Amino acid sequence: MLSTMATSTGTPLSEQSILATLEDSGDTTGATAVRLMMAAADAFADRGFHATTTRDIASRAGLSPAGVYVHFTSKEDLLFELSRRGHQTARDQLVAAAAAADSPTEALRSLIAGFSRWHAEHHQLGRIVQYEFRHLTPQHRDTVLALRKEIDAVVRDVLVRGVAEGEFEVDDVPATALALLSLAVDVARWYSPEIRRTPADIARTNGELAVRLVARR
Amino acid sequence: MLSTMATSTGTPLSEQSILATLEDSGDTTGATAVRLMMAAADAFADRGFHATTTRDIASRAGLSPAGVYVHFTSKEDLLFELSRRGHQTARDQLVAAAAAADSPTEALRSLIAGFSRWHAEHHQLGRIVQYEFRHLTPQHRDTVLALRKEIDAVVRDVLVRGVAEGEFEVDDVPATALALLSLAVDVARWYSPEIRRTPADIARTNGELAVRLVARR
DNA sequence: GTCTATATTTGGATAGAC
DNA sequence: GTCTATCCAAATATAGAC
C-alpha cells in the first residue's frame, strides 16, 4: 500500500485519497464508486442523510438515479462506507501523531492539533463521522463504534502517561479526555472554508489550548 | 412573568416550562401545543428532523396526523418554535450567570458550568438547537442566528473583562471563546442519561476546565 | 455498467364532518 | 379543536433494454 498516511505536520490527504482507501485485503474500489462517495459526502454534510436524495447523489456524480445501485446496495450502505473510511483515517492519523511524539506534552499537542486540523480540512467527512452516525443500521453502527472506542483510548492513554510522568495534572481522566475530544470534534460543526482562521491556525491554537488544559501548574 | 429564570445553581427549568415560555407580549401557548412541542423535541433529538414524520409526532402527542396542523402551520414551523425557545432560554441562562458573578473568573466558571449543565439536562433541546439548525427556512435561520450571536458575545465579553482585569491570559479571544463554547455545546452530542456523570458533575468539571483554559499562569 | 421507465411506499398537508 | 379519509408529491429501489 502507498505511504499516504498523514502525520500532523505532513501534507493532508485529499478527500479522494481518503475515500479511495484500500481495504485490508487489497481492493477494488472503482473510480465511479469514489465519485459517488464524494458526491454523497458533499450532500450528506450539507443537508444531512435523510434530507439527501439518491437522485441528488447520482446527479452530482453525473449518473442516472439507477446508477447508484450498481456500486452500493442502498443509500445507507453509502453512508456506512463514508463513515467507516472516515473513522479509519481519523484514527490512523491520531495513532501516528501519538507515536511520533517523544513526550506526553508533545503527543497531546500533536494529537489535538492533528485531530482539529482533520475536522477542518475534512469538515464534510467530519460532520458525517460525528453527526450522521445515528442513521446507520444497528450492525453498521456497531462496526463504527469499535473504531470510535479506539479513538477515545488513544487520548486517554496519552493523559495517563502524562500524569504518570509528572507532566500533567488531571483530576478526572475520562472527563478530561472527553473535553479534549470536544475541542477537536466541534470544529466540524462550526468550521467553514470562508472563515478567517485556516485549518493550520486552528490546529495550532487548539493544540496549545489542549496542553494548557492539562499541564502541571 | 413568573420568575422561572434558572441560575447556574438554581433548580433547572423543566422541559415543559421551557417550551411553554411566554412570548414577549403576553401569550397563548396552549397545553396541546406544548405537548406537541415536547413530542417533536423527543423525535427530532432522537432521529433528526427529516427522519421524523408528522405522524410520529402526532401519535406521540396522542393526536391524529391532522391534529398537528391546528397548532403549527408545518413541520418546519414546529422545529422553528423549538429552536427559538431553546435558544432564548439558553441565552437567558448565560446572561444571568454572567451578571450574578463578581469576578471574571467566577463569571466564566458559572457561564460554562451553567451552559454545560443546560446541554446535559436539556440534551434533546440542546441537540435541536445545535444540530437541526440547518433545516430551518432561511428566514427562520436568520432569526435564530441573532440569538446565537448574543450567546457568543456573552462569552467573548467575559474573556475581554478577564484580560483587562488581569485575571486571564488569552492569546486569541475569538478562538478561545469558540473553544469554551465547544466544551459546553459538545455535551449535547455525547450526553445520555445513562452515563456515570450527572449534569451537576459535568457542570463542575467543565467549569473548572474552562477556568484552567484561560487563567493567568 | 449505464440508461429509461416504473413499481411501490411513504409522508406532508388538506377537506370536510362532527 | 379533533377526527377520518384522502390527495399528491417525492423518494427508494428495481426491471429490463442496450
Side-chain angles (χ1 to χ4, degrees), chain B residues 128-145:
Chain B
I128 291 164
V129 160
Q130 304 302 344
Y131 305 125
E132 302 303 315
F133 187 55
R134 58 177 162 180
H135 299 122
L136 294 169
T137 62
Q139 203 171 21
H140 286 164
R141 207 163 30 223
D142 285 347
T143 301
V144 166
L145 207 53

Side-chain angles (χ1 to χ4, degrees), chain A residues 133-175:
Chain A
F133 185 56
R134 56 177 163 182
H135 298 122
L136 294 169
T137 61
Q139 203 172 20
H140 286 163
R141 206 161 33 219
D142 285 347
T143 301
V144 166
L145 205 53
L147 289 162
R148 295 179 78 86
K149 283 184 180 159
E150 291 185 53
I151 288 172
D152 294 351
V154 173
V155 177
R156 272 203 304 273
D157 285 353
V158 170
L159 289 187
V160 168
R161 270 177 42 218
V163 170
E165 298 185 20
E167 292 183 11
F168 298 163
E169 213 174 297
V170 175
D171 288 334
D172 181 334
V173 167

Side-chain angles (χ1 to χ4, degrees), chain A residues 45 132 134 169 182 186 212, chain B residues 45 132 134 169 182 186 212:
Chain A
E132 303 302 315
R134 56 177 163 182
E169 213 174 297
S182 288
D186 199 53
R212 197 160 168 177
Chain B
E132 302 303 315
R134 58 177 162 180
E169 215 175 298
S182 288
D186 199 53
R212 198 161 167 176

Side-chain angles (χ1 to χ4, degrees), chain A residues 52 54-55 66 69 75:
Chain A
T52 299
T54 53
R55 282 173 162 77
Y69 296 91
K75 191 172 80 159

Side-chain angles (χ1 to χ4, degrees), chain A residues 75-154:
Chain A
K75 191 172 80 159
E76 191 273 344
D77 184 39
L78 202 33
L79 175 63
F80 174 57
E81 279 305 313
L82 287 171
S83 188
R84 190 175 61 81
R85 291 167 195 239
H87 276 90
Q88 278 174 351
T89 60
R91 177 209 53 189
D92 290 347
Q93 210 224 3
L94 275 184
V95 169
D102 44 34
S103 78
T105 298
E106 288 317 307
L108 183 69
R109 194 198 312 277
S110 170
L111 221 66
I112 301 302
F115 208 42
S116 296
R117 183 175 177 155
W118 189 85
H119 279 88
E121 264 156 0
H122 309 291
H123 64 283
Q124 292 180 320
L125 208 46
R127 278 182 200 175
I128 291 164
V129 160
Q130 304 302 344
Y131 304 126
E132 303 302 315
F133 185 56
R134 56 177 163 182
H135 298 122
L136 294 169
T137 61
Q139 203 172 20
H140 286 163
R141 206 161 33 219
D142 285 347
T143 301
V144 166
L145 205 53
L147 289 162
R148 295 179 78 86
K149 283 184 180 159
E150 291 185 53
I151 288 172
D152 294 351
V154 173

